[in-house]
Amino acid sequence: MKKLIKLGIALVAIISLNACTEDDGFTFIAKEDPDGLTFANTPSGSYTLTAANADNMAERFVWNAVDFGVQTPVSYELQGAATESFDNITVIPAGNSTNVAVTVSEMMDLAEEAGLDNDPTTAEPNTGIIYFRVRAYVGSNGGNVVDQFSDVISVTVNLPEQSEEEDEDLPKLYVVGNFLSASGYGTDWTATDGVPIAAEAEGNTAYEGFVYMNVDAPQFKILQTNENFDDNYGDAGETDGVYTGILESPGVNAGTPDGTGGYYLVNVDTDALTYELTETSWGVIGNATPTGWDSDTDMTYDSDTQTWSVTLDLTEQEATDNGFKFRANDAWDLNLGDTDADGSLEFAGDNIGVPEDGNYTITLDLSNPRQYKYSISKN
């Protein structure tokens, strides 16, 4: 995935507008921080757009006010298009404001209209140009209107290749047990409802994934497919619910280290015939958060969405030196950051920046093994 890092130079276009007087020209600017989040500063200066950040603000476009010489307030709208002719436009109303935010999702829609594709199995390009301009007008769009348009700004966008299809091919095991129904996964002891854990690649015998076991005394087994219980793994102990950390096929039903439920990181090695469960509770920490780097702000788990989330005030911070990270159990043993600034997470990854001060909802999604992601959305 491409890096999302700050644009070095704002986009500026000075326009001559002729509907009223020659003095009515205005400037169209894609403004730098702190007024808006700028996108990828790759050598081509392209914006990298990912579905993981669909709700995030991509850019705040800013322009100066236009004087039509009348008392009626001037209205503005930002128009986006897949072609420079603006035959088909996406309109983002700005009202009387001289700025408007464009989300990643809105840019992605324009990119797809322009024929871009992030499917690596097709021959379509995943990098191209989309276009923006500002319309200033007085009057009603349904009646008499006097309007002016800025010159057109072209923006290079990149849709990185999706990794989800590749992840479907990763070797997987499936955890089933008496917790599936209470934890929002499906029917207890049902192979097709098993919770996947994944290895990094074919031939790798080390599997990991997160499993919610919302019962008082969890018992489970590990399946080699989500179709049946053939050649399943259990614990090498003598009684159901035991936890020795040693696998045996078929073995007895395995349990958790202290016999209680929770949200567990599950590690399994089918070569060494070992397994390990680490109970986790997640929070955010960093100088972008109210408590800084001193303590975590706890997140809440939702079994319906299989995500952790928290709503809090954040301050503008620039990664990678500043920002925030995800941390388990108020300790640094398990922490997640975003090294590629693409919405995906890595253990011990880089800090995550915040584009501007405000109240945000942060969501952490650990449901897809080895494809952990997050979103940060301003309220």
Side-chain angles (χ1 to χ4, degrees):
M1 307 289 273
K2 307 293 185 184
K3 290 188 176 179
L4 294 173
I5 54 180
K6 186 177 178 183
L7 278 175
I9 301 175
L11 300 172
V12 180
I14 300 177
I15 298 88
S16 294
L17 300 169
N18 299 315
C20 288
T21 71
E22 293 182 358
D23 295 328
D24 283 339
F26 64 102
T27 304
F28 180 36
I29 307 169
K31 199 160 187 175
E32 294 180 277
D33 288 345
D35 295 319
L37 172 63
T38 55
F39 261 94
N41 187 22
T42 63
S44 64
S46 65
Y47 291 64
T48 299
L49 310 174
T50 65
N53 288 326
D55 294 333
N56 291 5
M57 182 174 68
E59 179 63 88
R60 184 176 296 278
F61 291 99
V62 182
W63 54 91
N64 65 287
V66 177
D67 183 6
F68 280 89
V70 294
Q71 296 300 314
T72 304
V74 179
S75 297
Y76 301 94
E77 64 186 27
L78 181 70
Q79 298 181 350
T83 62
E84 196 170 4
S85 62
F86 282 77
D87 294 328
N88 295 295
I89 62 172
T90 295
V91 174
I92 305 172
N96 302 132
S97 299
T98 55
N99 69 88
V100 72
V102 179
T103 66
V104 171
S105 177
E106 288 167 329
M107 276 200 177
M108 290 181 73
D109 289 343
L110 289 170
E112 290 168 5
E113 288 178 21
L116 306 188
D117 197 333
N118 59 359
D119 184 351
T121 66
T122 70
E124 296 294 330
N126 64 356
T127 299
I129 303 293
I130 58 177
Y131 303 91
F132 290 98
R133 70 184 182 186
V134 175
R135 176 182 178 235
Y137 64 93
V138 292
S140 170
N141 274 325
N144 296 322
V145 176
V146 177
D147 58 9
Q148 299 181 9
F149 293 88
S150 72
D151 281 348
V152 175
I153 288 179
S154 62
V155 175
T156 301
V157 293
N158 177 59
L159 298 178
E161 292 182 355
Q162 295 174 334
S163 59
E164 285 79 4
E165 291 184 3
E166 295 176 2
D167 292 333
E168 289 298 320
D169 296 331
L170 289 177
K172 289 185 175 65
L173 299 174
Y174 299 87
V175 184
V176 299
N178 66 348
F179 62 89
L180 292 176
S181 177
S183 306
Y185 294 117
T187 304
D188 291 349
W189 297 107
T190 301
T192 54
D193 292 331
V195 185
I197 59 176
E200 284 187 322
E202 195 70 41
N204 189 305
T205 63
Y207 295 77
E208 74 171 37
F210 288 88
V211 182
Y212 184 43
M213 300 184 183
N214 189 30
V215 292
D216 291 336
Q219 293 188 22
F220 63 92
K221 282 201 166 184
I222 299 167
L223 310 184
Q224 297 197 41
T225 77
N226 61 347
E227 297 176 355
N228 54 58
F229 277 71
D230 294 350
D231 301 320
N232 68 80
Y233 294 102
D235 194 280
E238 297 181 357
T239 59
D240 286 341
V242 68
Y243 175 84
T244 68
I246 301 173
L247 292 175
E248 184 176 271
S249 182
V252 300
N253 295 340
T256 60
D258 62 0
T260 64
Y263 190 85
Y264 288 93
L265 171 61
V266 179
N267 293 98
V268 172
D269 192 321
T270 56
D271 184 37
L273 290 178
T274 59
Y275 74 101
E276 181 180 7
L277 270 65
T278 304
E279 187 173 3
T280 65
S281 181
W282 290 87
V284 292
I285 188 171
N287 61 348
T289 72
T291 56
W293 294 106
D294 295 326
S295 62
D296 297 72
T297 301
D298 293 338
M299 307 183 80
T300 301
Y301 184 72
D302 184 342
S303 60
D304 291 333
T305 62
Q306 297 182 21
T307 60
W308 294 83
S309 65
V310 63
T311 298
L312 75 171
D313 292 332
L314 297 176
T315 60
E316 177 191 349
Q317 299 291 343
E318 184 176 350
T320 58
D321 293 334
N322 301 290
F324 72 92
K325 297 186 79 172
F326 298 96
R327 199 168 74 152
N329 306 331
D330 299 318
W332 288 107
D333 296 343
L334 292 175
N335 72 87
L336 291 164
D338 186 357
T339 299
D340 293 328
D342 59 2
S344 64
L345 293 167
E346 302 82 31
F347 285 110
D350 290 342
N351 296 334
I352 300 164
V354 176
E356 59 184 355
D357 294 355
N359 184 260
Y360 289 83
T361 296
I362 302 174
T363 302
L364 172 64
D365 186 349
L366 304 176
S367 63
N368 191 357
R370 297 188 184 274
Q371 183 64 20
Y372 311 128
K373 60 185 181 180
Y374 70 98
S375 66
I376 170 172
S377 178
K378 190 175 183 182
N379 299 313

